Amino acid sequence: MTIKDTRITGLLHRIHWKPMRFVQLLIFIVLVMLLSPFLRNTPFLHALLSVFFLNILMVTLSFAGFDVRWRWLLILLWFAGSLCNIAASRVPDITQGKALAVASEILGAVLIVFCVTMILRYVLTSREVTTDTIFGAVVAYFLIAFMFSSLYQVVAIVEPASFNMPTGPDITERNTRNIEFGYFSFVTIATLGYGDIVPRLPAARILSILEAATGQFYMAVVVAWLVSAHAGGRKGTGGGRGSGNE
């Protein structure tokens, strides 16, 4: 009898925990963002968090209709980007270092685009709006900001004068670039416009415009769809109850 109760309890825990997968991922992303300023001098810890982030992301996408056969593509993209990042800080030639850093950021952006596509496909094809789908949309919003952050870093590496940095941080250092342009990306996608980091050259300005437009489009379309789908689901449930009572 005890074994049976234990199995039932374990089943209930799995059923309750599964719909919270995007909540877990969002919490982990926020923790990584909060810890990133403290990881500048601890590359091992930064790499460890990156591995855990990739693992949680892949687990989440596997539940979101992600084809298992494509997992190796994500692993390959992440591994190639990590190798380029490590090599960029070790090669003596500045030009080669910049090329490797650009390749690392581009591979990261491609990986994020792939993941955002899979998450949004799951969100927009869900039959009903749940806590999982809502947090899935939030996670996709965060990942879009991270993707633009990588693109800003590419522009800054190719042409350091693309952005006006108020305090003049050393944007040649990767962790500093991540923090500064991550901040700028979230400010831009939310259309806050603090004005402390200003795009100066055309490529940086065009990316900023595209991100701001993407943020507005996302809030207007995806969030509106979630609200309408949730309202439609409630009406359908109410109609079903009414017909059942009759």
Side-chain angles (χ1 to χ4, degrees):
M1 189 71 178
T2 305
I3 297 176
K4 182 178 180 181
D5 292 339
T6 303
R7 290 178 178 176
I8 294 175
T9 304
L11 179 61
L12 291 176
H13 277 297
R14 286 196 297 271
I15 294 174
H16 177 72
W17 185 247
K18 183 179 177 181
M20 303 298 288
R21 51 186 175 263
F22 280 115
V23 178
Q24 303 170 46
L25 183 55
L26 179 61
I27 292 174
F28 193 85
I29 291 174
V30 172
L31 286 176
V32 170
M33 292 174 64
L34 292 175
L35 290 175
S36 60
F38 306 100
L39 302 179
R40 298 190 183 191
N41 300 320
T42 57
F44 175 75
L45 183 58
H46 189 274
L48 186 63
L49 288 174
S50 298
V51 171
F52 276 113
F53 174 76
L54 178 67
N55 182 47
I56 293 177
L57 191 60
M58 292 181 62
V59 169
T60 302
L61 292 176
S62 68
F63 284 108
F66 185 71
D67 194 343
V68 178
R69 295 174 297 177
W70 288 93
R71 289 186 182 184
W72 290 108
L73 176 60
L74 288 177
I75 295 175
L76 180 61
L77 288 176
W78 176 83
F79 187 69
S82 299
L83 287 180
C84 289
N85 180 42
I86 295 172
S89 60
R90 296 180 180 272
V91 294
D93 185 72
I94 297 178
T95 304
Q96 292 181 358
K98 286 185 175 181
L100 289 171
V102 167
S104 175
E105 297 300 336
I106 290 177
L107 288 172
V110 171
L111 176 64
I112 293 175
V113 168
F114 194 83
C115 293
V116 168
T117 302
M118 298 301 298
I119 292 174
L120 288 181
R121 189 185 73 170
Y122 165 75
V123 171
L124 297 177
T125 57
S126 297
R127 295 182 178 180
E128 61 178 350
V129 177
T130 62
T131 303
D132 194 41
T133 54
I134 293 174
F135 277 93
V138 175
V139 167
Y141 186 79
F142 271 66
L143 292 180
I144 291 173
F146 285 130
M147 184 268 293
F148 275 98
S149 174
S150 295
L151 296 180
Y152 292 137
Q153 293 183 58
V154 170
V155 174
I157 293 170
V158 175
E159 180 51 68
S162 298
F163 294 89
N164 183 22
M165 314 295 289
T167 58
D170 183 16
I171 60 174
T172 60
E173 203 274 321
R174 187 176 189 271
N175 286 336
T176 301
R177 290 200 312 267
N178 282 334
I179 295 172
E180 295 294 330
F181 289 109
Y183 159 76
F184 175 72
S185 181
F186 277 93
V187 168
T188 302
I189 198 171
T191 62
L192 295 176
Y194 288 140
D196 48 352
I197 300 178
V198 181
R200 296 177 56 189
L201 299 185
R205 290 177 175 177
I206 290 174
L207 279 178
S208 301
I209 293 172
L210 289 176
E211 183 177 19
T214 301
Q216 293 296 306
F217 178 82
Y218 191 95
M219 297 299 293
V221 175
V222 177
V223 175
W225 181 89
L226 288 172
V227 172
S228 63
H230 179 63
R234 293 184 64 181
K235 290 180 179 179
T237 303
R241 289 175 181 175
S243 58
N245 292 334
E246 292 176 0

